[in-house]
Amino acid sequence: MDEFATTEFPEVMFILELTYRDGALDQLDRWIPEHYEYIDRHLATGEFLMSGRKVPRTGGVILAQGMDRATIEQLVTEDPFHREDLAEYTITEVQPTRSLLAQIAA
């Protein structure tokens, strides 16, 4: 069997890219604790696989799985960075075909 085949991975995943709006950096620190609660809540359910800041600090990225696009779009509205209009989200749907993630998770 092909060692990089994604037979144990979801058919659809999403890359959620946050881009901070102009002037948002001055306000972000106020909302980071609630943003982390949002991230942690979805990490705990397995909906999010990872999150992190972009370098340089212009936004962030979240890797998500296990839901459809409509659910992802609704989920994004729960993030305080979105709610407070500090970041714009770009949602990219991905159909994994090759990955090491199943091996890493094992």
PDB file of all heavy atoms in Angstrom, residues 8-30:
ATOM      1  N   GLU A   8      -7.204   6.897   5.941  1.00  0.00           N
ATOM      2  CA  GLU A   8      -7.780   7.064   7.273  1.00  0.00           C
ATOM      3  C   GLU A   8      -8.058   8.524   7.596  1.00  0.00           C
ATOM      4  O   GLU A   8      -8.282   8.877   8.741  1.00  0.00           O
ATOM      5  CB  GLU A   8      -6.832   6.473   8.317  1.00  0.00           C
ATOM      6  CG  GLU A   8      -6.648   4.986   8.169  1.00  0.00           C
ATOM      7  CD  GLU A   8      -5.739   4.412   9.228  1.00  0.00           C
ATOM      8  OE1 GLU A   8      -5.674   4.974  10.335  1.00  0.00           O
ATOM      9  OE2 GLU A   8      -5.090   3.405   8.951  1.00  0.00           O
ATOM     10  N   PHE A   9      -8.061   9.362   6.586  1.00  0.00           N
ATOM     11  CA  PHE A   9      -8.252  10.784   6.817  1.00  0.00           C
ATOM     12  C   PHE A   9      -9.568  11.228   6.216  1.00  0.00           C
ATOM     13  O   PHE A   9     -10.093  10.593   5.308  1.00  0.00           O
ATOM     14  CB  PHE A   9      -7.061  11.562   6.226  1.00  0.00           C
ATOM     15  CG  PHE A   9      -6.452  12.493   7.218  1.00  0.00           C
ATOM     16  CD1 PHE A   9      -5.815  12.005   8.334  1.00  0.00           C
ATOM     17  CD2 PHE A   9      -6.533  13.851   7.052  1.00  0.00           C
ATOM     18  CE1 PHE A   9      -5.263  12.847   9.275  1.00  0.00           C
ATOM     19  CE2 PHE A   9      -5.983  14.706   7.985  1.00  0.00           C
ATOM     20  CZ  PHE A   9      -5.346  14.200   9.086  1.00  0.00           C
ATOM     21  N   PRO A  10     -10.142  12.314   6.701  1.00  0.00           N
ATOM     22  CA  PRO A  10     -11.434  12.768   6.170  1.00  0.00           C
ATOM     23  C   PRO A  10     -11.349  13.112   4.687  1.00  0.00           C
ATOM     24  O   PRO A  10     -10.294  13.486   4.186  1.00  0.00           O
ATOM     25  CB  PRO A  10     -11.749  14.018   6.995  1.00  0.00           C
ATOM     26  CG  PRO A  10     -10.515  14.387   7.702  1.00  0.00           C
ATOM     27  CD  PRO A  10      -9.612  13.199   7.721  1.00  0.00           C
ATOM     28  N   GLU A  11     -12.482  12.978   4.022  1.00  0.00           N
ATOM     29  CA  GLU A  11     -12.532  13.305   2.602  1.00  0.00           C
ATOM     30  C   GLU A  11     -12.358  14.793   2.360  1.00  0.00           C
ATOM     31  O   GLU A  11     -11.876  15.195   1.308  1.00  0.00           O
ATOM     32  CB  GLU A  11     -13.851  12.843   2.000  1.00  0.00           C
ATOM     33  CG  GLU A  11     -13.972  11.342   1.896  1.00  0.00           C
ATOM     34  CD  GLU A  11     -15.260  10.932   1.222  1.00  0.00           C
ATOM     35  OE1 GLU A  11     -15.819  11.745   0.455  1.00  0.00           O
ATOM     36  OE2 GLU A  11     -15.701   9.806   1.463  1.00  0.00           O
ATOM     37  N   VAL A  12     -12.789  15.617   3.322  1.00  0.00           N
ATOM     38  CA  VAL A  12     -12.722  17.066   3.165  1.00  0.00           C
ATOM     39  C   VAL A  12     -12.127  17.682   4.428  1.00  0.00           C
ATOM     40  O   VAL A  12     -12.461  17.303   5.545  1.00  0.00           O
ATOM     41  CB  VAL A  12     -14.127  17.666   2.925  1.00  0.00           C
ATOM     42  CG1 VAL A  12     -14.080  19.173   2.849  1.00  0.00           C
ATOM     43  CG2 VAL A  12     -14.741  17.101   1.663  1.00  0.00           C
ATOM     44  N   MET A  13     -11.230  18.621   4.212  1.00  0.00           N
ATOM     45  CA  MET A  13     -10.663  19.408   5.301  1.00  0.00           C
ATOM     46  C   MET A  13     -10.738  20.874   4.884  1.00  0.00           C
ATOM     47  O   MET A  13     -11.002  21.183   3.721  1.00  0.00           O
ATOM     48  CB  MET A  13      -9.224  18.992   5.586  1.00  0.00           C
ATOM     49  CG  MET A  13      -9.102  17.550   6.018  1.00  0.00           C
ATOM     50  SD  MET A  13      -7.406  17.080   6.348  1.00  0.00           S
ATOM     51  CE  MET A  13      -7.179  17.900   7.925  1.00  0.00           C
ATOM     52  N   PHE A  14     -10.494  21.758   5.834  1.00  0.00           N
ATOM     53  CA  PHE A  14     -10.550  23.179   5.550  1.00  0.00           C
ATOM     54  C   PHE A  14      -9.330  23.869   6.133  1.00  0.00           C
ATOM     55  O   PHE A  14      -8.910  23.569   7.251  1.00  0.00           O
ATOM     56  CB  PHE A  14     -11.814  23.805   6.160  1.00  0.00           C
ATOM     57  CG  PHE A  14     -13.077  23.298   5.544  1.00  0.00           C
ATOM     58  CD1 PHE A  14     -13.721  22.192   6.068  1.00  0.00           C
ATOM     59  CD2 PHE A  14     -13.622  23.907   4.425  1.00  0.00           C
ATOM     60  CE1 PHE A  14     -14.889  21.704   5.502  1.00  0.00           C
ATOM     61  CE2 PHE A  14     -14.783  23.425   3.847  1.00  0.00           C
ATOM     62  CZ  PHE A  14     -15.413  22.320   4.388  1.00  0.00           C
ATOM     63  N   ILE A  15      -8.792  24.797   5.363  1.00  0.00           N
ATOM     64  CA  ILE A  15      -7.767  25.708   5.863  1.00  0.00           C
ATOM     65  C   ILE A  15      -8.472  27.033   6.098  1.00  0.00           C
ATOM     66  O   ILE A  15      -9.050  27.611   5.166  1.00  0.00           O
ATOM     67  CB  ILE A  15      -6.615  25.875   4.858  1.00  0.00           C
ATOM     68  CG1 ILE A  15      -5.946  24.519   4.620  1.00  0.00           C
ATOM     69  CG2 ILE A  15      -5.620  26.922   5.352  1.00  0.00           C
ATOM     70  CD1 ILE A  15      -4.975  24.516   3.459  1.00  0.00           C
ATOM     71  N   LEU A  16      -8.475  27.467   7.343  1.00  0.00           N
ATOM     72  CA  LEU A  16      -9.078  28.746   7.708  1.00  0.00           C
ATOM     73  C   LEU A  16      -7.944  29.739   7.885  1.00  0.00           C
ATOM     74  O   LEU A  16      -7.110  29.574   8.781  1.00  0.00           O
ATOM     75  CB  LEU A  16      -9.880  28.619   8.998  1.00  0.00           C
ATOM     76  CG  LEU A  16     -10.859  27.442   9.077  1.00  0.00           C
ATOM     77  CD1 LEU A  16     -11.539  27.402  10.427  1.00  0.00           C
ATOM     78  CD2 LEU A  16     -11.867  27.506   7.963  1.00  0.00           C
ATOM     79  N   GLU A  17      -7.890  30.730   7.036  1.00  0.00           N
ATOM     80  CA  GLU A  17      -6.832  31.721   7.112  1.00  0.00           C
ATOM     81  C   GLU A  17      -7.412  33.035   7.615  1.00  0.00           C
ATOM     82  O   GLU A  17      -8.348  33.572   7.035  1.00  0.00           O
ATOM     83  CB  GLU A  17      -6.181  31.933   5.745  1.00  0.00           C
ATOM     84  CG  GLU A  17      -5.049  32.925   5.791  1.00  0.00           C
ATOM     85  CD  GLU A  17      -4.374  33.125   4.445  1.00  0.00           C
ATOM     86  OE1 GLU A  17      -4.871  32.610   3.429  1.00  0.00           O
ATOM     87  OE2 GLU A  17      -3.346  33.817   4.430  1.00  0.00           O
ATOM     88  N   LEU A  18      -6.860  33.512   8.719  1.00  0.00           N
ATOM     89  CA  LEU A  18      -7.267  34.793   9.283  1.00  0.00           C
ATOM     90  C   LEU A  18      -6.259  35.847   8.846  1.00  0.00           C
ATOM     91  O   LEU A  18      -5.054  35.626   8.915  1.00  0.00           O
ATOM     92  CB  LEU A  18      -7.253  34.759  10.810  1.00  0.00           C
ATOM     93  CG  LEU A  18      -8.274  33.907  11.539  1.00  0.00           C
ATOM     94  CD1 LEU A  18      -7.901  32.446  11.482  1.00  0.00           C
ATOM     95  CD2 LEU A  18      -8.381  34.370  12.964  1.00  0.00           C
ATOM     96  N   THR A  19      -6.764  36.975   8.417  1.00  0.00           N
ATOM     97  CA  THR A  19      -5.919  38.115   8.083  1.00  0.00           C
ATOM     98  C   THR A  19      -6.403  39.287   8.917  1.00  0.00           C
ATOM     99  O   THR A  19      -7.581  39.667   8.834  1.00  0.00           O
ATOM    100  CB  THR A  19      -6.003  38.456   6.584  1.00  0.00           C
ATOM    101  OG1 THR A  19      -5.604  37.300   5.836  1.00  0.00           O
ATOM    102  CG2 THR A  19      -5.091  39.626   6.238  1.00  0.00           C
ATOM    103  N   TYR A  20      -5.507  39.816   9.751  1.00  0.00           N
ATOM    104  CA  TYR A  20      -5.887  40.929  10.610  1.00  0.00           C
ATOM    105  C   TYR A  20      -6.183  42.167   9.786  1.00  0.00           C
ATOM    106  O   TYR A  20      -5.486  42.480   8.828  1.00  0.00           O
ATOM    107  CB  TYR A  20      -4.781  41.242  11.618  1.00  0.00           C
ATOM    108  CG  TYR A  20      -4.450  40.101  12.548  1.00  0.00           C
ATOM    109  CD1 TYR A  20      -3.149  39.881  12.949  1.00  0.00           C
ATOM    110  CD2 TYR A  20      -5.432  39.243  13.019  1.00  0.00           C
ATOM    111  CE1 TYR A  20      -2.824  38.838  13.801  1.00  0.00           C
ATOM    112  CE2 TYR A  20      -5.121  38.184  13.867  1.00  0.00           C
ATOM    113  CZ  TYR A  20      -3.816  37.989  14.258  1.00  0.00           C
ATOM    114  OH  TYR A  20      -3.504  36.958  15.088  1.00  0.00           O
ATOM    115  N   ARG A  21      -7.218  42.873  10.180  1.00  0.00           N
ATOM    116  CA  ARG A  21      -7.584  44.121   9.512  1.00  0.00           C
ATOM    117  C   ARG A  21      -6.625  45.228   9.940  1.00  0.00           C
ATOM    118  O   ARG A  21      -5.992  45.142  10.996  1.00  0.00           O
ATOM    119  CB  ARG A  21      -9.024  44.488   9.845  1.00  0.00           C
ATOM    120  CG  ARG A  21     -10.023  43.449   9.341  1.00  0.00           C
ATOM    121  CD  ARG A  21     -11.440  43.995   9.352  1.00  0.00           C
ATOM    122  NE  ARG A  21     -12.423  42.986   9.033  1.00  0.00           N
ATOM    123  CZ  ARG A  21     -12.735  42.596   7.802  1.00  0.00           C
ATOM    124  NH1 ARG A  21     -12.123  43.111   6.770  1.00  0.00           N
ATOM    125  NH2 ARG A  21     -13.669  41.673   7.611  1.00  0.00           N
ATOM    126  N   ASP A  22      -6.521  46.270   9.133  1.00  0.00           N
ATOM    127  CA  ASP A  22      -5.664  47.407   9.464  1.00  0.00           C
ATOM    128  C   ASP A  22      -6.030  47.948  10.840  1.00  0.00           C
ATOM    129  O   ASP A  22      -7.213  48.158  11.138  1.00  0.00           O
ATOM    130  CB  ASP A  22      -5.811  48.518   8.422  1.00  0.00           C
ATOM    131  CG  ASP A  22      -5.203  48.148   7.079  1.00  0.00           C
ATOM    132  OD1 ASP A  22      -4.378  47.210   7.039  1.00  0.00           O
ATOM    133  OD2 ASP A  22      -5.556  48.797   6.080  1.00  0.00           O
ATOM    134  N   GLY A  23      -5.038  48.150  11.675  1.00  0.00           N
ATOM    135  CA  GLY A  23      -5.245  48.688  13.017  1.00  0.00           C
ATOM    136  C   GLY A  23      -5.683  47.669  14.049  1.00  0.00           C
ATOM    137  O   GLY A  23      -5.841  48.015  15.224  1.00  0.00           O
ATOM    138  N   ALA A  24      -5.869  46.431  13.672  1.00  0.00           N
ATOM    139  CA  ALA A  24      -6.390  45.415  14.596  1.00  0.00           C
ATOM    140  C   ALA A  24      -5.372  44.994  15.647  1.00  0.00           C
ATOM    141  O   ALA A  24      -5.759  44.615  16.754  1.00  0.00           O
ATOM    142  CB  ALA A  24      -6.870  44.189  13.829  1.00  0.00           C
ATOM    143  N   LEU A  25      -4.092  45.041  15.339  1.00  0.00           N
ATOM    144  CA  LEU A  25      -3.080  44.560  16.292  1.00  0.00           C
ATOM    145  C   LEU A  25      -3.187  45.247  17.642  1.00  0.00           C
ATOM    146  O   LEU A  25      -2.958  44.624  18.674  1.00  0.00           O
ATOM    147  CB  LEU A  25      -1.673  44.745  15.720  1.00  0.00           C
ATOM    148  CG  LEU A  25      -1.227  43.707  14.704  1.00  0.00           C
ATOM    149  CD1 LEU A  25       0.159  44.048  14.160  1.00  0.00           C
ATOM    150  CD2 LEU A  25      -1.231  42.315  15.293  1.00  0.00           C
ATOM    151  N   ASP A  26      -3.546  46.511  17.658  1.00  0.00           N
ATOM    152  CA  ASP A  26      -3.672  47.253  18.913  1.00  0.00           C
ATOM    153  C   ASP A  26      -4.803  46.721  19.785  1.00  0.00           C
ATOM    154  O   ASP A  26      -4.804  46.931  20.995  1.00  0.00           O
ATOM    155  CB  ASP A  26      -3.911  48.739  18.640  1.00  0.00           C
ATOM    156  CG  ASP A  26      -2.741  49.405  17.939  1.00  0.00           C
ATOM    157  OD1 ASP A  26      -1.613  48.878  18.034  1.00  0.00           O
ATOM    158  OD2 ASP A  26      -2.960  50.446  17.291  1.00  0.00           O
ATOM    159  N   GLN A  27      -5.766  46.028  19.184  1.00  0.00           N
ATOM    160  CA  GLN A  27      -6.942  45.545  19.920  1.00  0.00           C
ATOM    161  C   GLN A  27      -6.929  44.047  20.193  1.00  0.00           C
ATOM    162  O   GLN A  27      -7.726  43.557  20.995  1.00  0.00           O
ATOM    163  CB  GLN A  27      -8.205  45.887  19.125  1.00  0.00           C
ATOM    164  CG  GLN A  27      -8.384  47.358  18.836  1.00  0.00           C
ATOM    165  CD  GLN A  27      -9.547  47.574  17.898  1.00  0.00           C
ATOM    166  OE1 GLN A  27     -10.649  47.106  18.170  1.00  0.00           O
ATOM    167  NE2 GLN A  27      -9.311  48.263  16.800  1.00  0.00           N
ATOM    168  N   LEU A  28      -6.043  43.317  19.522  1.00  0.00           N
ATOM    169  CA  LEU A  28      -6.068  41.854  19.610  1.00  0.00           C
ATOM    170  C   LEU A  28      -5.862  41.315  21.021  1.00  0.00           C
ATOM    171  O   LEU A  28      -6.546  40.370  21.429  1.00  0.00           O
ATOM    172  CB  LEU A  28      -5.010  41.242  18.693  1.00  0.00           C
ATOM    173  CG  LEU A  28      -5.311  41.246  17.212  1.00  0.00           C
ATOM    174  CD1 LEU A  28      -4.131  40.652  16.450  1.00  0.00           C
ATOM    175  CD2 LEU A  28      -6.571  40.487  16.891  1.00  0.00           C
ATOM    176  N   ASP A  29      -4.924  41.877  21.748  1.00  0.00           N
ATOM    177  CA  ASP A  29      -4.592  41.328  23.071  1.00  0.00           C
ATOM    178  C   ASP A  29      -5.807  41.243  23.980  1.00  0.00           C
ATOM    179  O   ASP A  29      -5.926  40.317  24.777  1.00  0.00           O
ATOM    180  CB  ASP A  29      -3.484  42.149  23.724  1.00  0.00           C
ATOM    181  CG  ASP A  29      -2.138  41.915  23.060  1.00  0.00           C
ATOM    182  OD1 ASP A  29      -1.990  40.899  22.345  1.00  0.00           O
ATOM    183  OD2 ASP A  29      -1.236  42.746  23.252  1.00  0.00           O
ATOM    184  N   ARG A  30      -6.715  42.168  23.835  1.00  0.00           N
ATOM    185  CA  ARG A  30      -7.935  42.171  24.659  1.00  0.00           C
ATOM    186  C   ARG A  30      -8.774  40.913  24.402  1.00  0.00           C
ATOM    187  O   ARG A  30      -9.452  40.414  25.303  1.00  0.00           O
ATOM    188  CB  ARG A  30      -8.744  43.428  24.351  1.00  0.00           C
ATOM    189  CG  ARG A  30     -10.080  43.453  25.023  1.00  0.00           C
ATOM    190  CD  ARG A  30     -10.837  44.711  24.691  1.00  0.00           C
ATOM    191  NE  ARG A  30     -12.139  44.667  25.316  1.00  0.00           N
ATOM    192  CZ  ARG A  30     -13.151  45.409  24.969  1.00  0.00           C
ATOM    193  NH1 ARG A  30     -13.018  46.301  24.013  1.00  0.00           N
ATOM    194  NH2 ARG A  30     -14.297  45.294  25.581  1.00  0.00           N
TER     195      ARG A  30
END
